[in-house]
Every structure is written in C-alpha cells, then in structure tokens.
Amino acid sequence: MSEKPAILPSGATIGILGGGQLGRMLALAAARLGFRSHIYCPDPHSPAFEVTPHRTVAAYDDMAALRSFAAAVDVVTYEFENVPATTAEMLARLKPLRPGAKALAVSQDRLAEKGFLSSKNIPAAPYRAVHGLADLEAGLGELGLPAVLKTTRLGYDGKGQRVLRVAGEAEAALAALQPHPLVLEAFVPFEKEISVVVARGLDGAVRAFDPAWNVHRDHILHTSTVPAGIAPALERQAGMIAKAIVIALDYVGVLGVEFFVVGGEGKPGLLVNEIAPRVHNSGHWTEAACLTDQFEQHIRAIAGWPLGDPRRHADVVMKNLIGAEVETVPSALDGESQPHLYGKTEIRPGRKMGHVNTILRQE
Amino acid sequence: MSEKPAILPSGATIGILGGGQLGRMLALAAARLGFRSHIYCPDPHSPAFEVTPHRTVAAYDDMAALRSFAAAVDVVTYEFENVPATTAEMLARLKPLRPGAKALAVSQDRLAEKGFLSSKNIPAAPYRAVHGLADLEAGLGELGLPAVLKTTRLGYDGKGQRVLRVAGEAEAALAALQPHPLVLEAFVPFEKEISVVVARGLDGAVRAFDPAWNVHRDHILHTSTVPAGIAPALERQAGMIAKAIVIALDYVGVLGVEFFVVGGEGKPGLLVNEIAPRVHNSGHWTEAACLTDQFEQHIRAIAGWPLGDPRRHADVVMKNLIGAEVETVPSALDGESQPHLYGKTEIRPGRKMGHVNTILRQE
C-alpha cells in the first residue's frame, strides 16, 4: 500500500442501502463503535428504521434522493447484492462505496461470478450459459442429468431455479424462467453445505471466521452449526479459498462464501456455490461465539479500522426463526441461548423474523 | 407468585428515562430482542437519541410530556437513580415502572439506603446522620477519624463528599456541603473495591454475574477486572448479598452493588458501599465475556422474559475511556479487544466516552 488508508472517526455516519435485518444489525454494530447510521430503503416499514433516527425512504434508482443520502454520510455500504449498477456507480463517485462496484458486478450475475471463480482457478460446479433451447440441450449433453437451470440474476432462497432430472423437462423449465438470461449448472451430489464469512480491511488485512455447516429447509437457511464437522484440512482449504476471493476482488468488508463439500470419504473436496458481498445469514452465530461478530467486523473494515479477532470461543448452533417460529421466543428459550429478533411487525410464512444462537456444551 | 407475569411481546416499546450511554446501551439491547425504544431526556444532544427514532426532549418534571411518553410505551425503565419521586409515581400509575419506586427511594438517599441495609442485616460501613455541627462532632467522636462526610442525595463520581482527616476540618467540610442533608461515614480502610451486577426477573428468578474488581482514578471508574482476585468464599458471599438485596426490594431488573473488601488476610469480609438500581459501569465487561450481557438481562427482566445465562466464559478487563482517551480507538486497539464507544460528539475532561473490554489469556 502506498499510503495509510483514511480511518473514519467514531461519530461519522455510515450510509446503509437496505433496511432489512442485515442493515439493522449493521446499524446496531455501528452504534457500538460510536458511529451514526443512515438507512436508505424504499419500504417505510423497514426494520432497520427502528434503530436510528436517520433515514431516507426512496427508490434505489431515485437519483436525487441518492445524492442527498450521499451528502449526509461518510461511507456507503449495503446489505444486499442487488444494488443497481447505476446506483452503485453514482454513489461511488460521491462517497467511498465499500465493498466496491467490482464485488457487486461479480456477485449480481451467476455467469460473471462463475467466470471470476474460474479465472482464479477456484473450484466451482461446471456450468454453461444458456441463451435458448439449443444451448440448454448442448449443456445437458455435456454436464449430464440431473442439472439445475437458474436465472443469472436476482435468484435467492430457491427462487428463479429449476432442477432438471430428465431431458424432457428442459423445454418447460426454459419457458418458466425465460426471458431472463440463464445458466445451467451441473447438479452437485454434495455431502453438506458449508460457508465461510471472511473480512478484508481497508489496509489489506484478511481474517476469516470458522466454517459453518448449513442446513436448509424449504430452500431457506434453517441452521448453521460450528464447528462444521469436516476434516481440518478442508476447514483450512475453505478459509484459504474465502481469503483468496476477497483478495482477488480487492474487497473491503465482510463477504460470505458458500461451499459444497463433495467427494465423500475417499476424496473430499470443496466447490464454491455462491458468494455474497455482505454480511451473511450463516454468520449470525458469530454474535454468540466471537469477541468481534461479523457485523462489527464489516463496520470496522469499511471504516478503515483494524479488523477484530474472529476466533471462536464456543461451539454454537444458529437457528433461524421463520414465520410463526418467532413466537417460540421467549417461552421456548433455554438456558444457554441468545435470541436476536428483527422487530418485523408482520409475521409471514417464509419470512426471516429472527434467530437464536445456542451454545453447544461438551457432554 | 399467584399468577404468571405478563410477558411483553417482541415489538413492544420500552420507555427509557435518560439518554446517556446507559440508556443507549439499553436501547441497543432492546433492539436485539425486537423491541422498540423510546428515549426521554431533556438534553437534545443525548447519545441515546442516535439509536432509535422515538424520543421525547423534555424536563423530567414536565408532567404533560411524561403523560405522552407513558402513552407511547409499554413499560418504563431508567438509566439513573435520581428520577424525581413525583415523576416515578406518576409514571407508575400509567405504565409498569421497573425497577419500581421502592428501589429509587432507597438508592436516591444514602440514609435511606443505609437504613435499608441495616434493617436487612447487610453489612455496611458505620454511619451517622448529620444535621449540624453538633451531630458531626458527636459522629466523629463515635466513628473516629478519618471519616467521610457526604450529601445524602445526588452524589456521584466523588462529587458531594469531603474526607475528614483531622477534627479541625469538620466545620469547613460542613460549610462546603450544607445546606444539603448529610451523612457521616466511617472511613473504611479497604483492600479493594468489588461489585456485583445482579438481576431479578418478573417471575422472581435471581441471577448474578461474577464479581468484578474495580479500580478508580480521580474518583471515576478506571478498570473492572474479572475474576476479582478474591477468595471463592468472598465471591459467593458477594453474590448472596446482592441476591438478598434484590429479593428484599422486590426488584425487577438489573442492580449494581459495590462492596469494600475489608479485614485483610486474617479475617476478610465485605461491606456494602452503595447500590445502584440500574445497569452499572462495572458490568460492561459482561458484553465481552457472557452470552447474555447486563443490558440484555435488564431488558429481559423488565419485559417479563426469562433471565439469560450470566455465566462467564473468559477472564476480562474493562477499561473506561475518559475524555481524550477515546481518541486511542481505533489505533491503539490490540487483538482481543472489543471497543464500545458512546457516540458523544463533544470530548470533555472526565466525561465517559466509551470503554474497551479486553480478554485476558492465561500465559
């Protein structure tokens, strides 16, 4: 580094695009470091609006509102990867945008993400771009069945994808997902899914939290358990890949990397499934088991502060509270559990309402 | 208990009297449990106003503003013990006030506090009420020199007290502190000061955090270290006394008890120095070393939730950042430290600006 990066002083204002639970938890972490937060979100009922007096209620493409927002803050970050490219570019001209536009471009588009991983020799599932039925049939020929057809953009929690188990399903899947640009991915018969939450500071320092083992239900994260129950060599490999990704992206902030553990007992390996340029649901366990949690780590990074200590002091399981499950708090809380509720006023099926971290004691 | 206490649902609003750092940290803890916070404080620059959009800026005796505040919240708590009695009584008629008026009455007045402790056979330093020079001279005759003359109300951080080392100082000390009601306390040659932060739930459950060893500088808390370095029997005794106090007060919430450790190696004992019916500076270490910290514990208690687990998972020292010391963050942060800054805009000598918890590793 040619010069020492600017350190944002306590008291400065962090601008956060997105007012969901991640934005809320970022604002809470920012407050613990003495920062103010200004939340930008089109939804006037955003849960993050409850934890700061500074807000902008406007669309993500409202350039006048974005300009006022930029003028009111000292650095801009975001809680979701689908920030429009024009919005990101405009904000980045006015204030530091961290993580930067490169991370957004790569993670917004599955093809760009896979191209990036491939260019860095980072293992991921084989894939083919699909512009029509000819591509899809050729891809199925090369990758085999089953395979997964996905939109390249805006997919999450199982939305925007179709599993193809027999060749006859190709046309219907195509019809269901087009006209969006698509990508065909080989179906990976994985042992488990794990993830690593990694941070890179403005000074280039890189620190990773321990890998978590993630279990999904109905395509939504159900639990993250740490330690992940994989071989130490795989744990180290996951951390190294996550670090390589943030270094390659010249990244500042916290990033989540999801992996498939493949190959079974004989020859275990890792494939990157997805990267998310933000704090990550599978990193919520860090609140209970680390001195610095992922939210504080992100704020430290984007403020130019030294990264905190990511070491884990306990075994832990994080359980998401989906929909009406939130009503089990507080009555079903047991002794060594730490609830975190998002203050969402309306309970809806499939909606993330909170999570509970529970310390796992050795018998 | 004749009936199950009402549980405040997540999403309800906690009303907090006082907008300093303790109110701010209570509001942050409330947010993690999905509660809203409404801060009531006369100072428009209160740091707690930065962590919620709900505020009332008004004097503590503004009955109209207090009524509106009560109407906007579901439970009322406070960050300081000097809530005027009429204010507390009025609020308590409109909404649950937790902790209740009894705890305020006892802790606002040193004579009431000492009378309460004495009535419960809880050891404290000998004392005499002082209404004039005759009382003072008689008190000095009984308690001996040195002794400490204190105002019965509104003393903190060394303000409102004089140490008397020779009999000739009596008249001047009296002149300096009158016309306030006064109390003369025997000077206790203590080994160290410790404190226990204890909680009592609405269901009557009582849980104490480990004792901390407190070191003051210029009459302001400098460090709290845990473990406190006292004999296990004394640790247990401190916890038992703290629990006895919250039970005797029919208390709901977190309370801090300061003790003097007296008597040396031969016959160690404890004297209660002071109780504070609120979260306590000497309990900030719980943020780094406990699954449930003192702020969450207080919110759980006043919301009728089950108390969290107060067990400590690490040795820790909390250091206050006074005045310009706050500027050592972030540059002087070392690896295993957790800063908490209060977002106060103006640095003043003697002002509590933040604190840093540092994990103590075994060599």
Side-chain angles (χ1 to χ4, degrees):
Chain A
M1 304 239 102
S2 56
E3 56 181 313
K4 211 177 162 190
I7 288 178
L8 210 61
S10 179
T13 301
I14 312 281
I16 301 174
L17 292 170
Q21 65 269 14
L22 299 180
R24 178 179 167 112
M25 291 189 274
L26 285 170
L28 292 174
R32 292 197 303 269
L33 300 182
F35 293 110
R36 298 171 182 219
S37 290
H38 186 125
I39 306 288
Y40 188 114
C41 191
D43 178 359
H45 304 293
S46 296
F49 286 159
E50 285 297 323
V51 298
T52 173
H54 311 292
R55 70 171 73 178
T56 299
V57 183
Y60 290 122
D61 59 358
D62 181 335
M63 291 297 153
L66 289 165
R67 260 191 301 273
S68 300
F69 169 71
V73 306
D74 296 294
V75 64
V76 178
T77 190
Y78 42 85
E79 63 151 17
F80 67 114
E81 56 270 41
N82 292 315
V83 177
T86 49
T87 300
E89 284 156 18
M90 198 271 254
L91 289 171
R93 279 196 301 272
L94 298 171
K95 286 290 157 71
L97 176 72
R98 295 173 188 153
K102 186 175 177 186
L104 281 173
V106 161
S107 60
Q108 280 180 359
D109 187 296
R110 286 183 195 276
L111 273 176
E113 184 175 295
K114 288 178 174 293
F116 161 75
L117 294 172
S118 168
S119 75
K120 302 295 171 187
N121 295 314
I122 293 169
Y127 70 100
R128 297 290 182 275
V130 172
H131 303 99
L133 191 59
D135 284 340
L136 179 53
E137 287 178 342
L140 287 173
E142 290 165 23
L143 303 181
L145 282 165
V148 191
L149 186 64
K150 298 179 175 178
T151 57
T152 59
R153 302 177 76 89
L154 297 172
Y156 66 97
D157 288 352
K159 295 182 179 70
Q161 57 177 268
R162 294 289 169 114
V163 179
L164 305 182
R165 300 191 184 279
V166 296
E169 292 174 325
E171 215 159 337
L174 200 64
L177 297 174
Q178 275 189 332
H180 300 294
L182 302 173
V183 58
L184 182 72
E185 294 177 16
F187 185 87
V188 175
F190 60 88
E191 304 273 306
K192 51 171 65 174
E193 188 202 292
I194 66 165
S195 60
V196 170
V197 171
V198 62
R200 184 165 172 274
L202 198 56
D203 61 359
V206 175
R207 307 193 81 165
F209 292 101
D210 282 355
W213 165 39
N214 301 324
V215 173
H216 291 77
R217 266 195 198 166
D218 302 328
H219 299 288
I220 300 173
L221 183 62
H222 172 52
T223 57
S224 293
T225 305
V226 194
I230 57 175
L234 275 189
E235 288 218 336
R236 281 193 299 275
Q237 194 192 344
M240 285 168 58
I241 290 173
K243 289 176 179 178
I245 289 171
V246 288
I247 292 168
L249 289 172
D250 196 23
Y251 193 87
V252 175
V254 158
L255 176 140
V257 185
E258 294 176 8
F259 298 88
F260 295 132
V261 180
V262 296
E265 298 292 321
K267 191 192 162 200
L270 295 170
L271 295 177
V272 171
N273 176 37
E274 200 168 285
I275 65 179
R278 53 169 168 79
V279 288
H280 200 258
N281 194 166
S282 72
H284 293 357
W285 63 268
T286 58
E287 293 181 301
C290 302
L291 188 64
T292 302
D293 67 25
Q294 66 164 345
F295 303 102
E296 178 175 331
Q297 196 72 303
H298 185 78
I299 299 296
R300 283 174 174 240
I302 66 170
W305 288 29
L307 295 182
D309 193 322
R311 273 181 288 179
R312 182 172 56 82
H313 61 69
D315 296 354
V316 60
V317 58
M318 187 283 312
K319 182 181 177 302
N320 268 337
L321 300 172
I322 306 296
E325 286 174 355
V326 71
E327 294 175 331
T328 62
V329 175
S331 59
L333 287 179
D334 65 3
E336 283 196 273
S337 61
Q338 180 192 66
H340 195 143
L341 306 188
Y342 309 147
K344 296 181 180 178
T345 45
E346 194 190 342
I347 295 177
R348 291 196 296 264
R351 194 176 199 201
K352 290 176 179 171
M353 302 298 295
H355 63 269
V356 178
N357 289 319
T358 303
I359 300 298
L360 302 171
R361 292 276 158 212
Q362 310 289 336
E363 289 305 306
Chain B
M1 307 241 93
S2 58
E3 56 181 313
K4 209 177 161 190
I7 288 177
L8 209 63
S10 178
T13 301
I14 313 282
I16 301 173
L17 292 170
Q21 65 269 16
L22 298 180
R24 179 179 165 112
M25 292 189 274
L26 285 170
L28 293 174
R32 293 197 303 267
L33 300 181
F35 293 111
R36 298 169 183 220
S37 290
H38 186 125
I39 306 288
Y40 188 113
C41 192
D43 177 359
H45 303 293
S46 297
F49 285 160
E50 285 298 323
V51 298
T52 172
H54 311 291
R55 69 170 74 178
T56 300
V57 182
Y60 290 122
D61 59 358
D62 180 336
M63 291 297 153
L66 288 166
R67 261 191 300 274
S68 300
F69 170 70
V73 306
D74 297 293
V75 65
V76 177
T77 191
Y78 43 85
E79 62 151 16
F80 66 115
E81 54 270 42
N82 292 315
V83 176
T86 50
T87 300
E89 284 156 19
M90 199 272 254
L91 289 171
R93 280 197 300 273
L94 298 171
K95 287 290 157 69
L97 176 71
R98 295 173 187 155
K102 186 176 177 186
L104 281 174
V106 162
S107 60
Q108 280 179 0
D109 188 294
R110 286 181 195 277
L111 274 175
E113 184 175 292
K114 287 176 174 296
F116 161 75
L117 294 171
S118 168
S119 75
K120 301 295 171 188
N121 294 313
I122 293 169
Y127 69 100
R128 295 293 181 273
V130 172
H131 302 100
L133 191 59
D135 285 341
L136 179 53
E137 287 178 343
L140 288 173
E142 291 166 23
L143 302 181
L145 283 164
V148 190
L149 186 65
K150 298 178 175 179
T151 57
T152 59
R153 302 178 74 90
L154 296 172
Y156 66 96
D157 289 352
K159 297 182 177 69
Q161 57 177 270
R162 293 290 168 115
V163 179
L164 306 181
R165 301 191 185 279
V166 296
E169 292 175 326
E171 216 160 337
L174 199 64
L177 297 173
Q178 275 187 333
H180 301 292
L182 302 173
V183 57
L184 183 71
E185 294 178 15
F187 186 88
V188 176
F190 59 87
E191 304 273 304
K192 51 171 65 174
E193 188 201 293
I194 66 164
S195 60
V196 170
V197 171
V198 62
R200 183 165 173 274
L202 197 56
D203 60 359
V206 174
R207 308 195 81 167
F209 293 100
D210 282 355
W213 165 38
N214 301 324
V215 174
H216 292 76
R217 268 196 197 166
D218 302 328
H219 300 287
I220 300 172
L221 183 63
H222 173 52
T223 56
S224 292
T225 305
V226 195
I230 57 175
L234 276 189
E235 288 220 337
R236 281 193 299 275
Q237 194 192 344
M240 284 169 59
I241 291 173
K243 290 176 179 177
I245 289 171
V246 289
I247 291 168
L249 289 172
D250 197 24
Y251 193 87
V252 175
V254 158
L255 175 139
V257 185
E258 294 175 9
F259 299 88
F260 295 133
V261 180
V262 295
E265 298 291 321
K267 189 192 162 200
L270 294 172
L271 296 178
V272 170
N273 175 38
E274 198 169 285
I275 65 179
R278 53 169 169 79
V279 288
H280 200 259
N281 194 166
S282 72
H284 293 356
W285 64 268
T286 59
E287 293 181 302
C290 301
L291 188 64
T292 302
D293 68 27
Q294 67 164 346
F295 303 101
E296 178 174 331
Q297 196 73 304
H298 185 77
I299 299 296
R300 283 174 174 240
I302 66 169
W305 288 29
L307 295 182
D309 194 322
R311 272 181 288 179
R312 182 173 55 82
H313 60 68
D315 296 353
V316 60
V317 57
M318 187 283 313
K319 180 181 179 301
N320 268 338
L321 300 171
I322 306 297
E325 287 175 354
V326 71
E327 295 176 332
T328 61
V329 174
S331 59
L333 287 179
D334 65 2
E336 284 197 272
S337 62
Q338 180 192 67
H340 194 142
L341 307 188
Y342 309 148
K344 296 181 180 177
T345 44
E346 194 190 343
I347 296 177
R348 291 195 297 262
R351 193 176 199 201
K352 290 177 179 170
M353 303 297 295
H355 62 268
V356 178
N357 290 318
T358 303
I359 300 298
L360 303 170
R361 292 277 157 211
Q362 310 289 337
E363 291 303 305

